């Protein structure tokens, strides 16, 4: 059995979506300074690094992070590779998702993590692509950068379509070492009461 950790490490130097809180990691107790233990203070947003979007992120009154059934976030997943710069309904026409509930898109985004700062021109989903996924019964959608939505969008059509249907979104994945195919997904977000999102440790098992 091979385990792929497809999570991004949280650090002060990591990419953050523009407008989101910066990441702070401060060591407040240090054994080297005479303290009995090492203890750190963390400060970051709910959509930092590898994270999930709960439906309440874009739909008031909808399901929050702590209400998501874990059986949605654990189980068979298909990783599909897309080479186009935008994922549209037409892009999805070549795939058959009949037997799938969970889907992760591998794109050129995975290599953007090597850049020094956030890259605006990342591969994203259009609203019609999101609609097509919902129509096909997909309940979990993952992508390998910080949003499924186009940067500087006019309206968040992809988010509203997916989250409005109760589909959970996983963003900020690193799939650079993962080949397309079927895996077991294990995605465990922080259990934040009423949370609109939460950082998560996400792994695939082959």
């Amino acid at each position: 059995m091979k385990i792929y950790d497809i999570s991004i490490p949280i650090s002060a130097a990591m990419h953050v979506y523009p407008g989101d809180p910066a990441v702070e990691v401060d060591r407040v107790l240090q054994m080297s300074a005479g303290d009995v233990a090492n203890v750190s203070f963390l400060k970051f947003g709910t959509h930092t690094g590898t994270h999930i979007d709960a439906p309440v992120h874009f739909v008031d009154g909808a399901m929050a992070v702590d209400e998501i059934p874990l059986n949605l976030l654990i189980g068979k997943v298909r990783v599909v590779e897309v080479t186009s710069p935008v994922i549209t309904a037409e892009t999805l026409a070549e795939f058959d998702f009949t037997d799938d509930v969970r889907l992760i898109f591998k794109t050129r985004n995975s290599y953007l993590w090597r850049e020094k700062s956030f890259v605006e021109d990342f591969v994203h989903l259009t609203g019609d692509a999101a609609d097509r996924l919902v129509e096909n019964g997909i309940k979990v959608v993952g992508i390998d950068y910080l949003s499924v939505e186009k940067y500087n969008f006019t309206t968040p059509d992809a988010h509203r379509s997916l989250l409005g249907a109760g589909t959970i979104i996983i963003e900020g994945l690193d799939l650079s070492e993962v080949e397309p195919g079927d895996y077991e997904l294990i995605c465990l977000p922080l259990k934040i009461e009423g949370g609109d999102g939460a950082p998560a440790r996400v792994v695939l098992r082959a």
Side-chain angles (χ1 to χ4, degrees):
M1 177 188 300
K2 186 169 178 59
I3 297 177
Y4 297 90
D5 186 349
I6 56 174
S7 312
I8 302 299
I10 292 177
S11 76
M14 72 188 303
H15 296 194
V16 175
Y17 194 89
D20 280 8
V23 177
E24 296 180 24
V25 182
D26 296 319
R27 187 65 61 83
V28 294
L29 295 179
Q30 298 187 64
M31 295 177 70
S32 61
D35 296 314
V36 70
N38 293 316
V39 177
S40 297
F41 170 81
L42 307 178
K43 181 180 179 181
F44 48 78
T46 51
H47 300 270
T48 295
T50 304
H51 67 278
I52 70 163
D53 288 356
V56 74
H57 183 34
F58 276 91
V59 183
D60 257 345
M63 183 167 53
V65 167
D66 57 319
E67 299 170 319
I68 297 172
L70 287 181
N71 61 4
L72 276 182
L73 301 176
I74 300 174
K76 178 186 173 184
V77 66
R78 189 202 288 195
V79 176
V80 296
E81 187 164 17
V82 175
T83 57
S84 60
V86 181
I87 302 171
T88 65
E90 185 177 355
T91 308
L92 300 179
E94 64 180 281
F95 300 104
D96 178 8
F97 301 129
T98 305
D99 298 325
D100 297 306
V101 174
R102 304 171 192 87
L103 188 65
I104 291 176
F105 290 103
K106 177 180 181 178
T107 74
R108 62 175 172 81
N109 291 346
S110 284
Y111 303 98
L112 299 181
W113 297 115
R114 301 172 185 173
E115 300 296 328
K116 293 182 178 180
S117 59
F118 178 83
V119 177
E120 297 179 0
D121 183 25
F122 57 86
V123 180
H124 59 275
L125 274 70
T126 59
D128 66 342
D131 291 342
R132 180 68 58 86
L133 294 173
V134 169
E135 291 166 5
N136 277 270
I138 303 299
K139 297 300 183 185
V140 176
V141 174
I143 198 164
D144 49 355
Y145 210 52
L146 289 172
S147 183
V148 295
E149 201 82 52
K150 177 182 178 180
Y151 177 69
N152 203 21
F153 57 80
T154 302
T155 55
D157 297 329
H159 275 99
R160 286 177 177 169
S161 178
L162 294 170
L163 299 177
T167 297
I168 308 304
I169 302 172
I170 308 175
E171 296 170 328
L173 300 172
D174 180 359
L175 301 170
S176 56
E177 303 298 323
V178 176
E179 295 297 324
D182 292 331
Y183 298 86
E184 180 187 17
L185 169 72
I186 302 174
C187 173
L188 296 177
L190 294 176
K191 193 174 183 180
I192 301 173
E193 185 174 354
D196 48 82
R201 189 70 177 265
V202 185
V203 302
L204 299 177
R205 293 202 300 193

